[in-house]
Amino acid sequence: MKASSLSFLAAVIAAAAGMVWGLIMGISENHATMPAHAHLNLLGWVSLFLIGIFYHLHPALDQSRIALIQVCVWIAGTVILTLGVALLTSGIALGNPLAAAGSLIVLAAMLLFGWLVFQRDFFADSARAAAK
Ligand code: HEM
């Protein structure tokens, strides 16, 4: 699977889940888990879709294993962070280490993404050389 395909798929799932979450908060008039809803939408929907667009615009990178790993790490970090923040804001202490772990995982995925952004020409050149 290409990195962009996984990004787009996961982003749409996150958007749908985040919207259902928002509707449940609104209907129940209980906004306690609002920070988790916001993180799921912004990391899972907005950021992941932007990451997918970047990979789609850089085909050599899009087909690399490292980009696919970066997307997987981002998804894992987002799920763990969202769960942690939701538990934390619901008064469950286990949320604290989960939120901490999730935030570090997302940060690691962001640093890897940043490195790939600056390596995009290297990936394009390598793909061109391999095609010759
Ligand atoms: C069906 C769609 C959605 C519904 C029903 C919904 C509902 C809500 C509700 C009820 C709150 C709590 C507001 C408060 O307590 O002040 C909230 C907060 C928030 N939502 Fe959503 N939401 C939806 C989609 C989204 C999307 C797509 C995003 C981001 C791309 C988003 C980002 C946020 C943010 C950042 C906050 C926190 C706002 C603040 O700090 O006051 N939401 N949403």
Side-chain angles (χ1 to χ4, degrees):
M1 188 183 230
K2 289 193 290 188
S4 62
S5 304
L6 180 60
S7 299
F8 294 145
L9 176 68
V12 170
I13 291 171
M19 287 178 174
V20 170
W21 192 322
L23 284 166
I24 291 170
M25 280 195 306
I27 293 165
S28 65
E29 295 183 16
N30 178 358
H31 297 185
T33 59
M34 182 257 280
H37 157 85
H39 279 83
L40 177 61
N41 277 317
L42 295 172
L43 289 172
W45 163 233
V46 182
S47 304
L48 205 47
F49 204 83
L50 288 174
I51 288 170
I53 291 172
F54 174 80
Y55 285 137
H56 184 69
L57 290 172
H58 298 88
L61 202 48
D62 199 13
Q63 292 179 24
S64 69
R65 181 177 293 255
I66 186 76
L68 193 59
I69 290 171
Q70 188 276 327
V71 173
C72 290
V73 175
W74 187 283
I75 294 169
T78 299
V79 170
I80 294 169
L81 174 59
T82 301
L83 196 63
V85 173
L87 292 176
L88 201 54
T89 51
S90 303
I92 298 168
L94 173 70
N96 210 352
L98 277 183
S103 58
L104 291 174
I105 294 170
V106 176
L107 174 62
M110 188 65 231
L111 293 175
L112 178 55
F113 182 66
W115 181 76
L116 290 174
V117 166
F118 289 102
Q119 295 299 316
R120 64 192 183 280
D121 291 338
F122 169 77
F123 277 84
D125 292 346
S126 303
R128 263 193 297 271
K132 276 183 189 166

